Amino acid sequence: MVDDELQFSGETADVVVVGGGVIGLAIARALALHGVPDVMLIERARLGAEASSAAAGILGPQAEANQADEFFELACQSRDLYPAFSAALKEESGIDIELDQTGTLYLAFTEKDEVEIAQRYEWQTGAGYEVERLTSAEALMFEPSISTKTRSALRFPRDMQVENRRLVAALASANEQLGVRLVTGCDVRSLKTERGRVVAVETSPGSIATTTVIIAAGAWSSFITIPDILPPPVRIEPVRGQMLCFETNPRLARHVIYSPRGYLVPRQDGRLLAGATSEHAGFDKQVTAAGVRALTEQSIEMLPGLSKAPLIDSWAGLRPHATDDRPVLGKCPEVEGLIYATGHYRNGILLAPITGELIAETVMSGRSSPLMDSFTPDRFRLASVG
């Protein structure tokens, strides 16, 4: 149940999750499934209203990766959880999140593009990942509407997409069914600590006593004050991403389509999403004429038929970005009971299943998975000391 009129007095919770996007919702669900009896999730606005709803829903670690590293491994493992994750959410909520396993095409239009995709093909096949190299004619067989200027392409059959707004709805419903308390329209201002340990969350309508807090507040994560710790252990900044939505009936494509300049995501209902810009514009979510123009041009480069498709919507979201482009996952070394799950940047939808499981495991066992070793909050302290 979502609370609208709030007044906390003597409120307690076993675990408080701060942030109601897909990351926070996935964590709360995983905690409830692991048997935590009293989980409270607090969201400053509406559930999933920020980056989670603004995203394109791409589950494409292979299409986006430039090298095999710890992040690539984490992303691929999370992608591979999605079929079971999707089925479980449908059973729990009755909502189909429209997981589409058609695959992803990555198109090359210039000699430089071809060098880039050749390098990606070599290291991914060398690392044992499934990827197909296509000629122009072969790419056109998969997607007849792509530009005839396509010189070559890669196809990633295991990369997927999901309808991210349905994912938000499914996660919210699943949490309700599991008894998670979902609180919206509530600002978390600070944490209260005693002798280096979390004892409460201070919110606009009052205090909630708890011994475990998970910060999953996306681009707003750094606004939560932690007593006696300056500067904050983790610094997250917003990066604006503008998106366009075209109407394509009949559909122009089945695959998610990439080039080095952007991507296109076809939805089952005929909508086609085009993204995305990457701008350091603070918390300004304005759609700009320059952004629309750039996205339109790169979209038509891939699918020329979009020049005749109606542009029916546009929006911008704020991606939560850490200084090294990687998510922040794990315990805060300075405050017992404080755990971070933020900074997912362009990969919040992709990393939701594995983040939920890893954070729940950390809470339940007191130990962090080795998968999190490269993403812990203390890496920033170590970097500043070095």
Side-chain angles (χ1 to χ4, degrees):
M1 179 177 178
V2 177
D3 297 313
D4 296 316
E5 296 182 5
L6 302 172
Q7 189 61 51
F8 296 138
S9 178
E11 199 78 39
T12 65
D14 293 325
V15 180
V16 172
V17 180
V18 183
V22 294
I23 295 297
L25 288 165
I27 292 168
R29 170 184 173 270
L31 288 167
L33 288 171
H34 281 77
V36 178
D38 187 12
V39 180
M40 178 184 285
L41 180 147
I42 303 176
E43 164 56 37
R44 54 179 288 278
R46 293 179 293 106
L47 297 176
E50 297 294 347
S52 298
S53 291
I58 297 172
L59 313 175
Q62 289 184 245
E64 297 201 349
N66 292 318
Q67 61 183 346
D69 57 14
E70 298 92 343
F71 177 77
F72 180 66
E73 177 66 22
L74 183 77
C76 286
Q77 287 197 34
S78 194
R79 175 200 61 190
D80 294 345
L81 292 175
Y82 252 96
F85 185 61
S86 173
L89 282 175
K90 187 170 184 180
E91 182 174 344
E92 294 163 22
S93 69
I95 297 172
D96 179 5
I97 65 172
E98 296 182 4
L99 180 68
D100 187 325
Q101 301 182 68
T102 303
T104 296
L105 287 183
Y106 197 111
L107 310 182
F109 294 102
T110 67
E111 185 175 335
K112 181 180 178 182
D113 293 350
E114 289 198 286
V115 170
E116 179 179 323
I117 70 169
Q119 291 173 341
R120 190 160 299 180
Y121 177 81
E122 291 299 330
W123 74 257
Q124 290 198 17
T125 53
Y129 288 88
E130 189 176 356
V131 54
E132 303 165 6
R133 194 165 184 176
L134 307 177
T135 65
S136 175
E138 289 168 336
L140 283 160
M141 288 179 64
F142 277 106
E143 289 290 358
S145 295
I146 62 173
S147 173
T148 55
K149 295 180 181 179
T150 300
R151 296 167 63 128
S152 60
L154 298 180
R155 181 173 182 267
F156 302 97
R158 295 186 64 186
D159 279 358
M160 315 171 193
Q161 65 146 307
V162 68
E163 220 305 346
N164 46 292
R165 297 180 186 182
R166 294 180 70 87
L167 174 61
V168 169
L171 282 167
S173 177
N175 274 284
E176 289 181 342
Q177 299 301 318
L178 290 165
V180 174
R181 289 186 284 166
L182 302 176
V183 179
T184 59
C186 177
D187 282 321
V188 173
R189 295 172 174 172
S190 64
L191 305 184
K192 183 179 179 181
T193 62
E194 293 179 359
R195 295 185 294 275
R197 178 173 186 89
V198 170
V199 295
V201 172
E202 302 293 345
T203 76
S204 43
S207 180
I208 304 162
T210 186
T211 57
T212 305
V213 174
I214 299 162
I215 295 182
W220 286 263
S221 295
S222 296
F223 285 92
I224 300 166
T225 303
I226 304 170
D228 303 323
I229 301 181
L230 291 173
V234 173
R235 181 66 183 169
I236 302 296
E237 63 175 359
V239 176
R240 182 171 69 190
Q242 298 184 50
M243 297 279 294
L244 304 181
C245 180
F246 296 92
E247 182 179 350
T248 60
N249 281 309
R251 293 173 66 182
L252 289 178
R254 297 180 306 110
H255 292 75
V256 173
I257 300 175
Y258 273 86
S259 82
R261 288 160 288 285
Y263 57 76
L264 300 170
V265 183
R267 295 294 199 217
Q268 293 181 11
D269 61 4
R271 290 176 299 133
L272 188 142
L273 310 186
T277 64
S278 185
E279 306 163 88
H280 293 268
F283 286 86
D284 180 1
K285 292 194 289 183
Q286 178 180 344
V287 175
T288 67
V292 172
R293 184 168 55 252
L295 291 173
T296 301
E297 289 174 356
Q298 67 194 34
S299 301
I300 292 172
E301 178 187 39
M302 291 181 275
L303 279 182
L306 285 177
S307 62
K308 299 178 181 178
L311 177 62
I312 59 173
D313 201 0
S314 60
W315 61 86
L318 301 176
R319 308 181 187 98
H321 178 251
T323 53
D324 59 1
D325 298 341
R326 292 186 166 205
V328 184
L329 303 173
K331 298 179 182 180
C332 174
E334 292 120 322
V335 180
E336 189 177 353
L338 174 58
I339 299 171
Y340 280 94
T342 188
H344 290 73
Y345 193 31
R346 302 174 68 248
N347 297 284
I349 306 297
L350 169 61
L351 293 175
I354 203 162
T355 299
E357 290 302 316
L358 291 173
I359 298 300
E361 178 184 330
T362 300
V363 172
M364 299 301 294
S365 70
R367 299 184 301 275
S368 297
S369 165
L371 280 173
M372 299 165 65
D373 287 349
S374 297
F375 311 108
T376 57
D378 61 357
R379 72 184 191 264
F380 301 106
R381 295 292 196 203
L382 295 172
S384 63
V385 170

